[in-house]
Amino acid sequence: MPPLIEIRNLRHVYNAGTPAAVVAVDGISLTVERGEFLAVVGGNGSGKSTLAKHLNALLLPTEGEVHVDGLDTRDRASVWDIRQRVGMVFQNPDNQLVATVVEEDIAFGPENLGVPRGEIVARVQEALAAVDMLEYRRHAPHLLSGGQKQRVAIAGILAMRPQCLVLDEATTMLDPLGRREVLETVRRLNAGGVTVIHITHTMDEAVLAHRIIALQAGRIGLEGPPAQVFDRAGDLEAMGLTLPLIPALARTLRADGLPLREGILFAEQFVDAVAALAADTAWKSRNGVH
Ligand code: ADP
Ligand code: MG
């Protein structure tokens, strides 16, 4: 089986060949495996959204190639197969819901795919249950909270049975509760086998991924599992990115001489590491702590 997404030497130039040309993606090669949870981070204008739009053929390469489940995005006959496999959720929830009732919105995608009526009903039910919004199926989308709207937008994509969900700053406009709801939903879907590509400028959200890629000026500046990427605080800072709260705290304390282990990402790990030190009487007496 081919990898879910394979990008080879992708270059994207807007307004190519004109004085207004902008090189937005400048030679990216990337493979995304089935079932992966990939976070894409990077400052404003680093090329995140341009990269995302190549994943379901909303944009086509100026140079290089993008393959989705073995299908070349440049092949016009494959566009609908590609869009069925890779669903996109965007920043503004209000721009993504079109119907006046939640369940009609979810049915829209499968209807366009020509799914038979009876199966659509089952898919709508299943998709709303997957984002924990079943009880809102007859509600008006515009009356929902931001987090609920994004979950409905995700359900609309799930109803097309995609292999991959791409979220382009989909939590950026949400309040903390809405963010948590969407992130929990996405994690659960990923645990159930859906590949997730989460584009975010919030480093705390990138911690949840299996792998992070950091973009800078249209190129991959840093890549690796979170623990490894967050050990390169200096490189991240040079890219205008800050460490998430817990790794930053561990780093500060380490710099103050507390011998905390590397690779601490989550509050629980931090508390365990501090507790282990507190229990280490040898260390305490050496440092004059009583
Ligand atoms: P990000 O999502 O990381 O903020 P984008 O992919 O949106 O980055 O943009 C990358 C670069 O491409 C930026 O310099 C941006 O100004 C430029 N850009 C984005 N969209 C367009 C467009 N439609 N036309 C021209 N330039 C664009
Ligand atoms: Mg963007």
Side-chain angles (χ1 to χ4, degrees):
M1 221 193 278
L4 185 56
I5 289 170
E6 184 145 38
I7 300 174
R8 289 187 216 124
N9 298 316
L10 176 65
R11 227 172 109 79
H12 190 89
V13 185
Y14 289 106
N15 311 316
T18 76
V22 178
V23 181
V25 170
D26 193 13
I28 286 185
S29 294
L30 175 71
T31 301
V32 183
E33 300 295 344
R34 289 162 205 276
E36 201 177 342
F37 187 152
L38 177 73
V40 180
V41 299
N44 239 342
S46 59
K48 303 183 297 297
S49 293
T50 304
L51 176 65
K53 287 176 187 153
H54 279 272
L55 302 178
N56 71 350
L58 287 174
L59 287 177
L60 297 177
T62 309
E63 284 171 38
E65 292 166 33
V66 178
H67 294 262
V68 176
D69 200 15
L71 303 167
D72 189 329
T73 59
R74 294 171 304 181
D75 181 358
R76 300 191 84 192
S78 297
V79 168
W80 291 108
D81 287 331
I82 289 170
R83 294 205 180 141
Q84 189 266 316
R85 284 167 171 76
V86 179
M88 301 263 282
V89 184
F90 295 99
Q91 184 168 338
N92 189 340
D94 292 318
N95 296 343
Q96 299 174 80
L97 307 178
V98 288
T100 51
V101 180
V102 165
E103 63 186 359
E104 284 172 14
D105 223 293
I106 313 297
F108 196 69
E111 272 165 9
N112 274 348
L113 292 176
V115 174
R117 189 68 226 167
E119 195 188 326
I120 289 178
V121 174
R123 285 198 188 194
V124 167
Q125 177 105 359
E126 180 189 295
L128 281 172
V131 300
D132 203 15
M133 285 292 287
L134 200 50
E135 61 187 297
Y136 292 90
R137 65 185 178 279
R138 302 211 197 282
H139 284 233
H142 72 276
L143 295 178
L144 302 175
S145 72
Q148 290 172 329
K149 284 179 191 167
Q150 286 298 54
R151 280 149 66 200
V152 170
I154 292 171
I157 291 164
L158 292 180
M160 292 186 274
R161 303 256 166 92
Q163 297 180 10
C164 180
L165 204 52
V166 179
L167 301 114
D168 188 358
E169 307 254 9
T171 55
T172 299
M173 291 179 69
L174 305 182
D175 60 19
L177 175 65
R179 275 178 192 228
R180 216 173 319 130
E181 287 172 2
V182 170
L183 286 171
E184 259 164 36
T185 302
V186 166
R187 283 178 83 167
R188 202 170 54 236
L189 293 172
N190 178 247
V194 178
T195 306
V196 172
I197 300 178
H198 182 46
I199 298 172
T200 177
H201 63 247
T202 310
M203 296 297 266
D204 283 298
E205 295 183 1
V207 165
L208 304 172
H210 299 133
R211 180 164 61 127
I212 298 176
I213 65 168
L215 298 189
Q216 185 177 34
R219 297 181 186 191
I220 297 179
L222 266 181
E223 175 178 1
Q228 201 175 306
V229 167
F230 295 140
D231 278 344
R232 314 238 330 240
D235 293 334
L236 286 173
E237 260 158 41
M239 297 172 72
L241 299 169
T242 51
L243 284 181
L245 183 64
I246 298 294
L249 185 57
R251 181 167 183 258
T252 304
L253 292 172
R254 235 180 264 126
D256 276 354
L258 200 69
L260 283 173
R261 67 172 176 87
E262 300 275 325
I264 293 174
L265 297 177
F266 303 106
E268 297 79 5
Q269 296 170 335
F270 179 82
V271 170
D272 284 349
V274 171
L277 280 183
D280 181 352
T281 46
W283 179 79
K284 278 198 279 193
S285 60
R286 211 169 43 243
N287 288 275
V289 184
H290 302 290

